[in-house]
Amino acid sequence: MMTVPFTILSNGLKLFTNLIAGQPVLATFQVNLRCNSACGYCDLPLNVGRYEMTREEIQGVFSCLYHDGVRFVLVQGGEPLLRRDLVEILEDLSAIGFHLTLITNGTKVTPQFIERLGRLPVAISVSLDTLDREKYRQIRGADQLEHVLEGIALLKTFPHPKFLTCIVSEVNRTEAPAVVRFAREQGFLPVLGAYHWNVGTYGRPDELLMYDRSSAAAVFNGLLDDELIPSGYLRKFVEDNVSWLRGQKLEPCDAGRYSVAIDASGNVSPCLAFPSVGNLLESSLSEILARFNRQEIQACSDRSSCNRLDGRVVGTILRHPITAWRTTASL
């Protein structure tokens, strides 16, 4: 995720060609579609027995994607640690040459997993919305806070970049500063995003989580005023959340241009807000990109429908190189 700014200048001609041509360099990859949580804001088709590509199929698909210029992969689920061959898949993707960030709910982190993961150049992002056990259960649909905190403690000496991601909703908005302070105390960089509803598969409407936008904007403003967010891209993302919550227009989205979403079956969509239009086991990326409805993607971006980090990070870095450079001081 945040490792993108520091490697974007050292990845060769194909990367620069894609950036100039507006072709994907980042993929959000749902390595599985199984999860042990039931988050109120998630509407992914989880735990319904959908086909998941084998390790060999993933290796073949992503070898082609690397040839096509994709260089950064956000590996998520579902909950990716429920996949038994996850480390082997990460080893394969790393060997191909990808810069990887693993996104997990942190409930299945073990010393053995960390020891193996630590050998790979992989960043990790743990999701934690609250430090209150009952609020965690309300948001995540499972009583798992103790397991997450144990996993975070085990990551104390993890040798690569580590992030703690908090999605701010009505249930936890007053706790955001405490979560940020906890992240910093544990050696994690805080990533704060606003809950979106009615926006794709990560936007299920949940009355318990819905907030008044001005109240949520005040939370993000407070984090900025108290200088709890590191300088660089992390701070820019929080500023963009304030703009989005105030109904202001954001800079263009990366969906279908610099980034794509790939599910566990190999289906490709511009982002998680759009349906898939092709499968990488059957078609090349260039063939699938040609099927994207560019007018619909542009209209969604013009509406500033969401402020999802994975759909804006590359474009933001290109437009704000000094901000990206400042992010290096945070790691």
Side-chain angles (χ1 to χ4, degrees):
M1 185 166 43
M2 296 296 108
T3 56
V4 176
F6 324 114
T7 51
I8 207 165
L9 297 177
S10 60
N11 272 268
L13 179 61
K14 185 58 179 174
L15 173 63
F16 284 101
T17 300
N18 278 30
L19 292 173
I20 293 170
Q23 296 292 306
V25 299
L26 182 149
T28 298
F29 177 41
Q30 297 167 288
V31 70
N32 66 349
L33 287 167
R34 290 167 282 136
C35 194
N36 58 344
S37 297
C39 302
Y41 44 67
C42 176
D43 204 22
L44 288 169
L46 301 171
N47 305 322
V48 293
R50 293 181 63 188
Y51 179 72
E52 296 175 0
M53 290 187 288
T54 65
R55 174 187 173 187
E56 291 73 22
E57 286 174 328
I58 292 170
Q59 187 177 36
V61 161
F62 277 85
S63 293
C64 293
L65 291 177
Y66 189 86
H67 181 267
D68 290 331
V70 176
R71 292 293 183 270
F72 307 95
V73 183
L74 310 182
V75 181
Q76 60 181 50
E79 169 44 47
L81 271 68
L82 293 179
R83 182 147 182 163
R84 293 182 179 180
D85 57 355
L86 175 65
V87 175
E88 288 80 9
I89 291 170
L90 295 174
E91 289 172 346
D92 293 341
L93 296 179
S94 178
I96 291 169
F98 290 106
H99 297 270
L100 305 173
T101 299
L102 175 66
I103 301 171
T104 172
N105 64 23
T107 61
K108 294 292 184 179
V109 174
T110 65
Q112 296 77 16
F113 174 78
I114 295 171
E115 195 276 330
R116 294 187 65 188
L117 191 68
R119 301 174 195 165
L120 301 173
V122 178
I124 190 167
S125 176
V126 177
S127 300
L128 180 66
D129 301 325
T130 175
L131 296 169
D132 181 276
R133 180 177 177 180
E134 177 55 25
K135 289 182 179 179
Y136 186 97
R137 186 198 62 77
Q138 289 178 309
I139 296 169
R140 295 274 171 171
D143 184 8
Q144 299 171 320
L145 178 60
E146 182 179 352
H147 301 301
V148 180
L149 296 178
E150 290 173 355
I152 288 172
L154 288 173
L155 286 162
K156 183 180 177 72
T157 59
F158 186 69
H160 307 301
K162 51 188 180 180
F163 307 91
L164 192 149
T165 300
C166 173
I167 302 300
V168 177
S169 68
E170 181 61 24
V171 172
N172 69 331
R173 64 180 174 84
T174 60
E175 283 191 87
V179 174
V180 170
R181 290 189 177 95
F182 174 77
R184 302 294 294 270
E185 290 167 359
Q186 301 299 314
F188 285 70
L189 291 171
V191 182
L192 274 289
Y195 162 50
H196 304 85
W197 56 90
N198 292 324
V199 183
T201 50
Y202 274 102
R204 184 171 69 187
D206 187 318
E207 292 185 3
L208 181 69
L209 303 180
M210 292 180 182
Y211 46 71
D212 171 76
R213 285 199 170 204
S214 61
S215 299
V219 172
F220 286 90
N221 261 330
L223 294 170
L224 295 170
D225 291 342
D226 293 341
E227 298 187 348
L228 292 176
I229 305 299
S231 61
Y233 183 79
L234 295 172
R235 188 172 181 86
K236 179 68 170 64
F237 183 57
V238 171
E239 292 170 349
D240 284 349
N241 272 280
V242 174
S243 298
W244 182 80
L245 288 164
R246 288 176 172 170
Q248 298 171 0
K249 187 173 181 179
L250 299 175
E251 294 172 319
C253 173
D254 296 341
R257 185 175 50 153
Y258 296 131
S259 64
V260 292
I262 304 168
D263 75 7
S265 304
N267 298 310
V268 182
S269 58
C271 74
L272 292 169
F274 282 85
S276 63
V277 296
N279 188 288
L280 289 167
L281 295 175
E282 302 167 353
S283 304
S284 68
L285 179 61
S286 60
E287 290 171 331
I288 294 172
L289 293 175
R291 301 172 195 161
F292 284 173
N293 188 324
R294 299 292 173 177
Q295 290 182 328
E296 287 187 3
I297 297 171
Q298 185 65 53
C300 187
S301 177
D302 290 344
R303 290 194 303 271
S304 298
S305 300
C306 73
N307 185 37
R308 285 187 53 81
L309 183 146
D310 56 347
R312 295 187 181 276
V313 61
V314 176
T316 300
I317 290 165
L318 294 176
R319 286 185 291 267
H320 304 278
I322 295 177
T323 295
W325 175 78
R326 287 175 178 165
T327 311
T328 57
S330 303
L331 292 177

